[in-house]
Amino acid sequence: MTFFFIVTLNGLTLAALYFLAASGFSLIFGLMRIVNMAHGALLMLGGYVGYSVVDMTGSWSIGVIAGGLAAAAAGAIVQAGVLGWMQGDELRQTLASIAISIIMADLMLWYWGGITYQVELPEALSGGLRLPLLGVGYANIRLALIGFALVTGLALWIFIQKTRMGAIIRAGVDDQQMLRALGYPINRIFILVFALGGMLAGMAGVIAASALSIAPGTDLQFLLSSLVVVIVGGMGSVGGAALGALLVGLAEQYGLAYAPTYGVVFTFAIMVLVLAVRPQGLLGRAEQ
Amino acid sequence: MPVIDTHNSVNALEVRGIGKRFGAFWAVQDINLTVRPGERRAILGPNGAGKTSLFNVLTGDTNASAGSIKMFGADMTRMPINKRIRHGLRRTYQHANLFNGLTVRDTLFLAVAGIRGGWGQLLPLKASDHRLAEAERLAEVAGIQTFFSHEVSSLSHGQRRQLEIAIALAENPKVLLLDEPAAGLSPAERPKLSELLMSLPKDVTVVLIEHDMEIALQTSESVSVLFNGKLLAEGAPTEIMENEDVHRVYIGGAHVH
Amino acid sequence: MRYALIVIPLLLLPVLLNDFWLTQVMTRALILGIVALSLSFLAKYLGVVSFAQAAMAGAGGYTIAYFGPNSVNIGIELPFWISIPLALFLATAFGGLIGCVARRSRGIYAIMITLAIGIAFFYFTRQNYALFNGWTGFSGVRAPLIGGISLRAPVPLYFMSLLSAVVSMMLVSGFARSPMGLAIQAVRDAPGRVMALGISVSTPIIAAFAFSGLLAGTGGILNVWYQERISSFSVGFGPIIDILIIAVIGGLRYPSGAFIGAIVFVMLDTFAVDLVDRERFNTLIGTVLLLIVIFAPNGLQQLVMDGAAKLRRAKQPTN
């Protein structure tokens, strides 16, 4: 029984990490209808920059902020320099973002090499905690993940649903012409959304590099998890991403614990099942 | 005077007390229609009279809130669309959503044959296929045989309308429901459409919903006029043209409102 | 006639080229072209850009490796006249299965779902040892001896690849003119209308994916013979993207462009050492993809056709 609870807790913490990683992807997709295939690369950039900054300054929080800012800048450049010019042509945007992700991953491999890095944790997060009732130790950082995910989710929801900026962005998705005619700087708003999505990805990258580790291939791993989370939960809804992350995280950990060589199959089976019943995802709006 | 055909005791369409309600609003109410086999019936009415609601109830796109519909004696009030199709009911679409990348030939082939017939459907279509001959016959009926091998995307609006009708004629329909076939046509294209409607096979019952009074009166043997969701008048085109009620609400409608 | 103009020089190539050019460039380009063709087919006729083609090719390749001679002692050795049809069948079935999963999604949704399937297949091959031998996969896979001719030799393998490529092209153009092919294109243009004609929408979609699985599986089998190995890396993100790049370079809407794209890709890959640092090939190919997407979204095939049309117009100024 203790084993089951530990696996469940592992699933929850992984879900928290997946949610952090997918939130930026879901935000950009939901608001701008862009499948940003470079999302994994942005996340990895954040992780690497975070590692280097923590290594230099010794401060974990500065590392997280630096990772977020670096990925935000990269995201803004991607939107302003390439994707923004193809507004409305989803296939081209997708292909272009793939090209960008390949280039970014290769340049990062060049600069940081093929080694695995782990970001050093601050004292408060390192070490473990003896869990009440279960009586086993559990790493602080993994418990903190759940907190990070809750705060991020809440902040995103408030931003999209309750702020004026969120309202403008939501309107822009539905009717760009109208918003443009009303004098809103649509292009700049979209660049800002991309920067925000990049920032979420970058910070998630540093956190992932702290809780787990980071190496070439991390980008792909989180791109896949973000894709599945968003497909399962529903395109472009914060609640959907949370639900999707929860299902995928738990499925992966149960799979790993009880059927090690078929772990991926569980994740995949969930996706297929959801698609069969609700092609738009569990909490997505039907719009096709 | 429309003659009641006593030889055919079973009517093509028998609509009794049909109503369609949206919330508290009745779009159409208590409509009775009797259409004989082979009859050409036009349903006329100003905008908002309930033509489209009645049409959708007949095609099965929406379910009636009240009343019953019988086609050749078979009750189809609650029948889903695909079953109505199997019973020989066909419709055209006003906003033609056609296969732009296919030719007229291929479109009509699909309408005639679908993908029934097992593994043979994976093999290239032979020019001698009898189903292609049927497709060509339909194109001829609809007057677009000269464009038989053209891509649908290259057709004019009028030609697309003709293709719509050709598609609906596939597999020998018994009852054809035409949804404003003249909508959006240029004045030059209208006579051609009238001609096509009049040349449709005599054994097919045709009900057409039309806004254009001229085409409706020209191509139909009998006309039902809707107004405010109710049946206002019914009769031969000549009677309808002289009907005072019709003049008041429909022709003179523009002056009244 | 037009085919003959292309195929006859290709038949003469073994006389003209040395083994390096024949094998490293031509055979490889033909094989990659066949896999990319499976993608262009879906893009052109069904209007779906699929990222699951490497997985379909992998299904064919892994079957050949599992049921053929290999040096990792996994699987059962079967004669080629059983293993080849079996591999083609499984690749086709896998394609159909993917179509079944993705059948209700279009546009970018279909991209996301097929990509998820492709990457999930990659992780599955890495985790599973019983069937896929984990991330090391199969090595020492030997191409069969057919009628006394070994397909391991460069010239026979070249001819086999050429034959497969020609047959694949013919299959595509034939299938596109079949009733099912017409229905597939009808689904691409107006799925709602297909239903109104009383035709199922799912059947054409699944058939299209299954047919594309057959093509990809053909390429996958040839690729295993060519590489003499298959592993999780053969179905990973790299190959997924390579196939996409080849199809995009050639022009997603032009099936024959797949082979043009493959030649360009293989040349870049082979001679990248001279252009840039070998290690930075991904940066090079990523940049090429980005430039194509920005400046020639319809691919090189369209670029060539536009150029030819311009030339023709220039030649006939009186018109």
Side-chain angles (χ1 to χ4, degrees):
Chain A
M1 208 55 194
T2 309
F3 181 65
F4 175 78
F5 280 116
I6 293 291
V7 172
T8 308
L9 196 55
N10 283 344
L12 288 178
T13 54
L14 188 65
L17 187 56
Y18 281 172
F19 173 75
L20 286 171
S23 58
F25 183 78
S26 177
L27 178 80
I28 290 175
F29 184 86
L31 296 180
M32 294 163 63
R33 299 284 128 194
I34 294 177
V35 179
N36 177 24
M37 294 285 185
H39 185 74
L42 289 175
L43 181 141
M44 196 159 76
L45 177 70
Y48 277 132
V49 169
Y51 169 81
S52 295
V53 170
V54 172
D55 197 42
M56 236 164 12
T57 63
S59 161
W60 190 75
S61 344
I62 294 181
V64 173
I65 293 168
L69 288 179
I77 293 169
V78 166
Q79 167 66 16
V82 182
L83 301 186
W85 301 98
M86 306 169 181
Q87 199 61 51
D89 194 341
E90 296 167 341
L91 178 62
R92 266 178 93 191
Q93 286 175 322
T94 310
L95 295 176
S97 69
I98 288 175
I100 291 165
S101 84
I102 298 169
I103 298 169
M104 278 180 73
D106 199 46
L107 293 179
M108 282 187 272
L109 176 68
W110 186 30
Y111 188 77
W112 277 283
I115 3 169
T116 304
Y117 294 101
Q118 190 167 21
V119 175
E120 203 165 319
L121 288 166
E123 224 164 283
L125 291 177
S126 62
L129 185 78
R130 185 158 289 275
L131 295 176
L133 299 176
L134 294 176
V136 287
Y138 206 79
N140 282 340
I141 174 72
R142 308 194 70 175
L143 293 173
L145 274 178
I146 298 177
F148 289 141
L150 288 175
V151 170
T152 307
L154 199 67
L156 253 185
W157 184 79
I158 290 173
F159 173 73
I160 295 172
Q161 298 295 334
K162 301 286 168 196
T163 67
R164 184 171 155 70
M165 192 67 205
I168 293 172
I169 296 170
R170 271 182 292 139
V173 172
D174 294 332
D175 199 343
Q176 284 176 43
Q177 297 300 330
M178 190 62 196
L179 229 61
R180 205 165 267 141
L182 288 174
Y184 287 97
I186 281 288
N187 293 340
R188 255 187 294 161
I189 291 173
F190 278 4
I191 291 169
L192 193 82
V193 172
F194 237 89
L196 187 63
M199 176 132 156
L200 287 168
M203 286 163 70
V206 186
I207 292 169
S210 314
L212 307 168
S213 62
I214 190 166
T218 302
D219 52 344
L220 191 57
Q221 188 192 336
F222 282 102
L223 177 62
L224 174 68
S225 70
S226 301
L227 277 171
V228 178
V229 161
V230 169
I231 292 172
V232 168
M235 322 274 178
S237 105
V238 179
L243 183 61
L246 213 56
L247 281 173
V248 175
L250 286 170
E252 205 172 310
Q253 286 302 316
Y254 289 135
L256 208 61
Y258 296 105
T261 66
Y262 292 91
V264 165
V265 179
F266 285 85
T267 314
F268 186 68
I270 289 183
M271 190 182 94
V272 171
L273 234 108
V274 168
L275 282 177
V277 186
R278 273 181 76 85
Q280 72 272 34
L282 290 175
L283 298 184
R285 282 162 296 163
E287 54 187 326
Q288 274 169 288
Chain B
M1 278 287 286
V3 184
I4 306 295
D5 190 342
T6 45
H7 301 291
N8 259 314
S9 52
V10 180
N11 287 309
L13 275 178
E14 208 167 299
V15 173
R16 289 285 159 262
I18 277 293
K20 178 68 195 172
R21 191 178 49 150
F22 297 101
F25 169 70
W26 286 87
V28 284
Q29 202 173 5
D30 200 25
I31 304 281
N32 294 307
L33 285 176
T34 305
V35 183
R36 288 171 295 109
E39 190 179 326
R40 303 293 133 105
R41 169 73 59 98
I43 296 177
L44 271 173
N47 278 331
K51 296 191 302 282
T52 305
S53 298
L54 176 62
F55 192 82
N56 287 340
V57 168
L58 291 179
T59 58
D61 282 303
T62 55
N63 270 329
S65 314
S68 71
I69 307 164
K70 276 184 181 169
M71 192 168 96
F72 291 101
D75 182 38
M76 54 169 214
T77 317
R78 302 261 160 238
M79 206 182 264
I81 297 182
N82 53 353
K83 263 193 145 176
R84 292 185 196 209
I85 289 173
R86 252 178 277 151
H87 274 73
L89 184 77
R90 295 287 185 285
R91 68 166 296 182
T92 61
Y93 291 81
Q94 204 185 128
H95 302 286
N97 194 6
L98 293 162
F99 311 133
N100 282 322
L102 292 185
T103 60
V104 169
R105 181 193 93 126
D106 296 340
T107 303
L108 289 176
F109 173 85
L110 284 177
V112 168
I115 47 172
R116 290 181 302 270
W119 296 101
Q121 306 316 300
L122 303 178
L123 300 176
L125 204 50
K126 288 197 190 74
S128 59
D129 197 304
H130 68 276
R131 297 169 299 182
L132 276 178
E134 171 65 8
E136 193 158 13
R137 189 188 68 79
L138 290 175
E140 242 174 78
V141 171
I144 43 171
Q145 67 273 34
T146 27
F147 306 99
F148 195 52
S149 53
H150 288 217
E151 239 180 49
V152 172
S153 59
S154 70
L155 298 184
S156 73
H157 185 74
Q159 289 156 356
R160 291 169 80 91
R161 279 294 150 84
Q162 286 166 281
L163 177 58
E164 271 289 327
I165 292 171
I167 292 172
L169 284 174
E171 292 186 276
N172 307 315
K174 290 184 193 150
V175 177
L176 199 57
L177 303 174
L178 304 177
D179 190 5
E180 298 208 21
L185 290 189
S186 69
E189 286 170 319
R190 278 161 195 259
K192 217 172 163 189
L193 182 85
S194 296
E195 209 176 294
L196 165 59
L197 292 181
M198 284 187 282
S199 71
L200 289 176
K202 290 297 163 220
D203 54 332
V204 181
T205 310
V206 180
V207 175
L208 95 150
I209 295 232
E210 194 41 82
H211 194 65
D212 184 315
M213 197 157 195
E214 201 183 319
I215 286 189
L217 295 178
Q218 199 175 13
T219 58
S220 312
E221 306 155 16
S222 52
V223 180
S224 306
V225 182
L226 291 188
F227 183 65
N228 277 347
K230 298 224 171 74
L231 203 56
L232 180 77
E234 199 167 68
T238 44
E239 294 172 356
I240 293 297
M241 274 194 279
E242 285 156 16
N243 187 309
E244 271 180 36
D245 283 342
V246 174
H247 271 263
R248 202 176 58 246
V249 305
Y250 190 84
I251 299 164
H255 305 291
V256 175
H257 295 286
Chain C
M1 192 55 217
R2 242 178 60 224
Y3 276 119
L5 279 178
I6 300 167
V7 171
I8 289 171
L10 286 173
L11 285 173
L12 295 176
L13 275 187
V15 189
L16 302 171
L17 297 179
N18 61 26
D19 272 4
F20 171 79
W21 274 89
L22 193 69
T23 306
Q24 298 290 322
V25 177
M26 289 313 297
T27 305
R28 190 162 165 233
L30 284 169
I31 294 171
L32 288 174
I34 295 171
V35 182
L37 175 65
S38 76
L39 173 60
S40 328
F41 165 79
L42 279 180
K44 178 175 165 99
Y45 294 105
L46 187 62
V48 166
V49 177
S50 161
F51 282 54
Q53 303 314 107
M56 296 180 201
Y62 269 112
T63 310
I64 284 292
Y66 187 86
F67 291 110
N70 63 61
S71 61
V72 295
N73 294 320
I74 286 177
I76 310 148
E77 204 175 318
L78 292 176
F80 71 85
W81 49 269
I82 298 180
S83 66
I84 295 174
L86 184 66
L88 289 175
F89 171 76
L90 287 178
T92 309
F94 191 46
L97 197 69
I98 292 170
C100 200
V101 173
R103 71 184 187 281
R104 289 165 78 176
S105 311
R106 304 182 68 75
I108 40 179
Y109 298 89
I111 288 184
M112 290 166 76
I113 285 155
T114 51
L115 179 62
I117 293 172
I119 303 180
F121 184 74
F122 162 68
Y123 280 119
F124 183 56
T125 60
R126 293 189 91 162
Q127 285 182 357
N128 187 284
Y129 280 82
L131 293 171
F132 299 97
N133 197 28
W135 67 277
T136 47
F138 295 81
S139 54
V141 182
R142 288 197 308 279
L145 208 71
I146 298 178
I149 302 164
S150 168
L151 287 181
R152 296 181 74 187
V155 175
L157 187 61
Y158 169 75
F159 277 123
M160 189 66 194
S161 305
L162 181 60
L163 178 71
S164 307
V166 171
V167 170
S168 298
M169 281 300 289
M170 282 162 52
L171 279 178
V172 167
S173 78
F175 188 57
R177 285 180 290 116
S178 72
M180 188 60 83
L182 297 179
I184 289 168
Q185 295 165 71
V187 168
R188 172 198 63 199
D189 290 346
R193 195 58 194 269
V194 172
M195 264 192 289
L197 287 182
I199 302 173
S200 139
V201 173
S202 297
T203 312
I205 293 177
I206 293 170
F209 269 93
F211 180 72
S212 138
L214 176 69
L215 296 175
T218 307
I221 294 172
L222 290 168
N223 202 34
V224 176
W225 289 341
Y226 175 82
Q227 307 272 357
E228 308 208 324
R229 59 161 67 243
I230 185 165
S231 70
S232 56
F233 298 104
S234 321
V235 295
F237 195 57
I240 291 177
I241 295 306
D242 291 348
I243 293 164
L244 178 79
I245 290 173
I246 291 169
V248 171
I249 291 177
L252 275 175
R253 309 207 121 263
Y254 303 93
S256 55
F259 294 96
I260 297 175
I263 291 270
V264 173
F265 178 86
V266 170
M267 298 284 260
L268 277 177
D269 191 22
T270 310
F271 300 106
V273 205
D274 306 331
L275 289 168
V276 290
D277 188 357
R278 164 88 255 177
E279 297 283 301
R280 295 283 76 77
F281 175 69
N282 275 350
T283 301
L284 173 73
I285 202 71
T287 310
V288 170
L289 177 61
L290 190 59
L291 292 177
I292 294 261
V293 172
I294 292 174
F295 295 110
N298 292 319
L300 290 182
Q301 177 99 357
Q302 176 78 48
L303 217 58
V304 171
M305 277 164 51
D306 287 352
K310 252 183 217 151
L311 273 179
R312 269 200 301 278
R313 270 201 302 278
K315 272 185 193 163
Q316 306 165 300
T318 51
N319 217 329

